[in-house]
Amino acid sequence: MDHMEKGALSFTKMSGAGNDFIFIDNREGAVPPAIRAKLAAHICPRMFSVGADGIIFIEKSSIADFSWDFYNADGSLAEMCGNGARCAARYAFSRGIAGAKMSFATLAGIIEAEVFADDTVCLQMTAPEDYRSGLSLELGGTSCQVDFLNTGVPHAVVYVDEVSEGQGIGNIPVQEWGRIVRNHDHFAPAGTNVNFVSRGEGNSLYVRTYERGVEDETMACGTGAVAAALCFSKKYGFASPVNIVSSGGEILSIAFKTGCPPQEAAPSLSGPARIIYQGELAAEALPADIVKELGKR
Ligand SMILES: N[C@H](CCC[C@H](N)C(=O)O)C(=O)O
């Protein structure tokens, strides 16, 4: 039996369709706000620590069942995270923090969620904002027109069938093109997540997402799936619900009102959210100043 000093910090690892997160139950304030970004940037890198696309702190709330603080893997704060929110609902239900139907506060607004008996969680998303279509930029030597929608966080939507000369979504350079769009002047200064979208079978779409704050392709992106579904439907007239086949092969289902602007579509996001394991972060895995701060509580 390995003997390890009592861990410096307990956490739960979760996966929302392959978008993975570290959860900290912070209702007793174990991790003060001042060190959260540094903690995220220290324990999210894969191979060097726990590894995740982001970290979520669950906090008490006087206006909802709980509230949260979400940080990307690089320690940047983001207002919302669709897959993370589905995992937060599963986490809260599993720990008795909320019932199967719940609400929680994010920087993007209050999220209503429902946890189902299988691993599915359904969210009512906040109202999309700032829809922009036909933004011109160049990818792979081809001029193309991308759309933009804020679904809690900013998302650009690139229509792969228009830029890839039939290469197919599986062959496009997501890191290279994702970085170009993420940093493009159209989206300055906040930058944007970037979704590469291609028509699938029936009412489905293939979506590959380059995520701001991860600075790489993730296996799924919930707010990105919502942006892709709403923009594609607006441009090509897709019906609701749309099934999004994400990079990791899992399906996210987006339901929404059709025949109206994306801002009025009232989208919902359904998909899997699973607890993977519980863990204890060893003090030696953390910078001394963080261990010191954690020890104060
Ligand atoms: N993966 C998340 C999006 C995180 C957004 C974050 N990458 C940012 O906008 O900075 C999702 O499932 O919606």
Side-chain angles (χ1 to χ4, degrees), residues 51-65:
D53 291 330
I55 185 168
I56 294 171
F57 298 92
I58 300 297
E59 313 273 5
K60 287 177 180 169
S61 170
S62 58
I63 58 168
D65 292 302

PDB file of all heavy atoms in Angstrom, residues 51-65:
ATOM      1  N   GLY A  51      -3.913  16.840 -15.511  1.00  0.00           N
ATOM      2  CA  GLY A  51      -4.267  16.955 -16.930  1.00  0.00           C
ATOM      3  C   GLY A  51      -5.765  17.143 -17.139  1.00  0.00           C
ATOM      4  O   GLY A  51      -6.556  16.318 -16.668  1.00  0.00           O
ATOM      5  N   ALA A  52      -6.156  18.227 -17.781  1.00  0.00           N
ATOM      6  CA  ALA A  52      -7.587  18.478 -18.086  1.00  0.00           C
ATOM      7  C   ALA A  52      -7.683  19.675 -19.029  1.00  0.00           C
ATOM      8  O   ALA A  52      -6.745  20.451 -19.181  1.00  0.00           O
ATOM      9  CB  ALA A  52      -8.353  18.780 -16.794  1.00  0.00           C
ATOM     10  N   ASP A  53      -8.863  19.836 -19.640  1.00  0.00           N
ATOM     11  CA  ASP A  53      -9.104  21.010 -20.490  1.00  0.00           C
ATOM     12  C   ASP A  53      -9.476  22.226 -19.651  1.00  0.00           C
ATOM     13  O   ASP A  53      -9.455  23.364 -20.159  1.00  0.00           O
ATOM     14  CB  ASP A  53     -10.264  20.718 -21.460  1.00  0.00           C
ATOM     15  CG  ASP A  53      -9.900  19.675 -22.517  1.00  0.00           C
ATOM     16  OD1 ASP A  53      -8.711  19.597 -22.882  1.00  0.00           O
ATOM     17  OD2 ASP A  53     -10.801  18.923 -22.936  1.00  0.00           O
ATOM     18  N   GLY A  54      -9.833  21.978 -18.382  1.00  0.00           N
ATOM     19  CA  GLY A  54     -10.224  23.106 -17.529  1.00  0.00           C
ATOM     20  C   GLY A  54     -10.450  22.647 -16.107  1.00  0.00           C
ATOM     21  O   GLY A  54     -10.425  21.445 -15.807  1.00  0.00           O
ATOM     22  N   ILE A  55     -10.660  23.606 -15.217  1.00  0.00           N
ATOM     23  CA  ILE A  55     -10.896  23.320 -13.799  1.00  0.00           C
ATOM     24  C   ILE A  55     -12.115  24.100 -13.328  1.00  0.00           C
ATOM     25  O   ILE A  55     -12.333  25.239 -13.771  1.00  0.00           O
ATOM     26  CB  ILE A  55      -9.639  23.666 -12.960  1.00  0.00           C
ATOM     27  CG1 ILE A  55      -9.796  23.273 -11.490  1.00  0.00           C
ATOM     28  CG2 ILE A  55      -9.266  25.111 -13.097  1.00  0.00           C
ATOM     29  CD1 ILE A  55      -8.483  23.344 -10.718  1.00  0.00           C
ATOM     30  N   ILE A  56     -12.962  23.471 -12.546  1.00  0.00           N
ATOM     31  CA  ILE A  56     -14.238  24.074 -12.122  1.00  0.00           C
ATOM     32  C   ILE A  56     -14.321  24.045 -10.604  1.00  0.00           C
ATOM     33  O   ILE A  56     -14.216  22.975  -9.977  1.00  0.00           O
ATOM     34  CB  ILE A  56     -15.421  23.321 -12.758  1.00  0.00           C
ATOM     35  CG1 ILE A  56     -15.402  23.523 -14.290  1.00  0.00           C
ATOM     36  CG2 ILE A  56     -16.751  23.813 -12.167  1.00  0.00           C
ATOM     37  CD1 ILE A  56     -16.383  22.679 -15.063  1.00  0.00           C
ATOM     38  N   PHE A  57     -14.492  25.211 -10.011  1.00  0.00           N
ATOM     39  CA  PHE A  57     -14.667  25.344  -8.561  1.00  0.00           C
ATOM     40  C   PHE A  57     -16.153  25.484  -8.268  1.00  0.00           C
ATOM     41  O   PHE A  57     -16.805  26.381  -8.810  1.00  0.00           O
ATOM     42  CB  PHE A  57     -13.915  26.584  -8.052  1.00  0.00           C
ATOM     43  CG  PHE A  57     -12.433  26.507  -8.274  1.00  0.00           C
ATOM     44  CD1 PHE A  57     -11.854  27.021  -9.430  1.00  0.00           C
ATOM     45  CD2 PHE A  57     -11.610  25.903  -7.327  1.00  0.00           C
ATOM     46  CE1 PHE A  57     -10.484  26.936  -9.647  1.00  0.00           C
ATOM     47  CE2 PHE A  57     -10.239  25.824  -7.528  1.00  0.00           C
ATOM     48  CZ  PHE A  57      -9.676  26.324  -8.695  1.00  0.00           C
ATOM     49  N   ILE A  58     -16.699  24.608  -7.440  1.00  0.00           N
ATOM     50  CA  ILE A  58     -18.119  24.672  -7.067  1.00  0.00           C
ATOM     51  C   ILE A  58     -18.210  25.507  -5.799  1.00  0.00           C
ATOM     52  O   ILE A  58     -17.512  25.251  -4.810  1.00  0.00           O
ATOM     53  CB  ILE A  58     -18.686  23.264  -6.834  1.00  0.00           C
ATOM     54  CG1 ILE A  58     -18.566  22.426  -8.113  1.00  0.00           C
ATOM     55  CG2 ILE A  58     -20.127  23.328  -6.335  1.00  0.00           C
ATOM     56  CD1 ILE A  58     -19.358  22.925  -9.300  1.00  0.00           C
ATOM     57  N   GLU A  59     -19.069  26.520  -5.820  1.00  0.00           N
ATOM     58  CA  GLU A  59     -19.208  27.470  -4.712  1.00  0.00           C
ATOM     59  C   GLU A  59     -20.653  27.537  -4.228  1.00  0.00           C
ATOM     60  O   GLU A  59     -21.573  27.164  -4.957  1.00  0.00           O
ATOM     61  CB  GLU A  59     -18.828  28.874  -5.225  1.00  0.00           C
ATOM     62  CG  GLU A  59     -17.558  28.957  -6.033  1.00  0.00           C
ATOM     63  CD  GLU A  59     -16.319  29.152  -5.159  1.00  0.00           C
ATOM     64  OE1 GLU A  59     -16.431  29.123  -3.915  1.00  0.00           O
ATOM     65  OE2 GLU A  59     -15.244  29.335  -5.727  1.00  0.00           O
ATOM     66  N   LYS A  60     -20.862  28.042  -3.024  1.00  0.00           N
ATOM     67  CA  LYS A  60     -22.222  28.271  -2.527  1.00  0.00           C
ATOM     68  C   LYS A  60     -22.874  29.396  -3.334  1.00  0.00           C
ATOM     69  O   LYS A  60     -22.177  30.219  -3.933  1.00  0.00           O
ATOM     70  CB  LYS A  60     -22.169  28.676  -1.040  1.00  0.00           C
ATOM     71  CG  LYS A  60     -21.823  27.509  -0.115  1.00  0.00           C
ATOM     72  CD  LYS A  60     -21.725  27.990   1.329  1.00  0.00           C
ATOM     73  CE  LYS A  60     -21.380  26.821   2.277  1.00  0.00           C
ATOM     74  NZ  LYS A  60     -21.025  27.306   3.638  1.00  0.00           N
ATOM     75  N   SER A  61     -24.210  29.436  -3.321  1.00  0.00           N
ATOM     76  CA  SER A  61     -24.916  30.519  -4.003  1.00  0.00           C
ATOM     77  C   SER A  61     -26.177  30.855  -3.225  1.00  0.00           C
ATOM     78  O   SER A  61     -26.844  29.965  -2.685  1.00  0.00           O
ATOM     79  CB  SER A  61     -25.297  30.101  -5.429  1.00  0.00           C
ATOM     80  OG  SER A  61     -26.180  31.063  -5.983  1.00  0.00           O
ATOM     81  N   SER A  62     -26.519  32.149  -3.207  1.00  0.00           N
ATOM     82  CA  SER A  62     -27.778  32.560  -2.543  1.00  0.00           C
ATOM     83  C   SER A  62     -28.909  32.693  -3.574  1.00  0.00           C
ATOM     84  O   SER A  62     -30.056  32.894  -3.230  1.00  0.00           O
ATOM     85  CB  SER A  62     -27.557  33.915  -1.853  1.00  0.00           C
ATOM     86  OG  SER A  62     -27.140  34.862  -2.837  1.00  0.00           O
ATOM     87  N   ILE A  63     -28.581  32.546  -4.866  1.00  0.00           N
ATOM     88  CA  ILE A  63     -29.615  32.746  -5.900  1.00  0.00           C
ATOM     89  C   ILE A  63     -29.859  31.479  -6.734  1.00  0.00           C
ATOM     90  O   ILE A  63     -30.710  31.446  -7.605  1.00  0.00           O
ATOM     91  CB  ILE A  63     -29.219  33.901  -6.864  1.00  0.00           C
ATOM     92  CG1 ILE A  63     -27.869  33.607  -7.544  1.00  0.00           C
ATOM     93  CG2 ILE A  63     -29.176  35.233  -6.123  1.00  0.00           C
ATOM     94  CD1 ILE A  63     -27.555  34.540  -8.704  1.00  0.00           C
ATOM     95  N   ALA A  64     -29.087  30.426  -6.486  1.00  0.00           N
ATOM     96  CA  ALA A  64     -29.262  29.172  -7.255  1.00  0.00           C
ATOM     97  C   ALA A  64     -28.772  28.025  -6.373  1.00  0.00           C
ATOM     98  O   ALA A  64     -28.311  28.239  -5.249  1.00  0.00           O
ATOM     99  CB  ALA A  64     -28.437  29.237  -8.549  1.00  0.00           C
ATOM    100  N   ASP A  65     -28.863  26.791  -6.896  1.00  0.00           N
ATOM    101  CA  ASP A  65     -28.426  25.655  -6.072  1.00  0.00           C
ATOM    102  C   ASP A  65     -26.931  25.737  -5.753  1.00  0.00           C
ATOM    103  O   ASP A  65     -26.473  25.301  -4.699  1.00  0.00           O
ATOM    104  CB  ASP A  65     -28.705  24.336  -6.822  1.00  0.00           C
ATOM    105  CG  ASP A  65     -30.213  24.086  -6.937  1.00  0.00           C
ATOM    106  OD1 ASP A  65     -30.853  24.025  -5.869  1.00  0.00           O
ATOM    107  OD2 ASP A  65     -30.729  24.024  -8.050  1.00  0.00           O
TER     108      ASP A  65
END
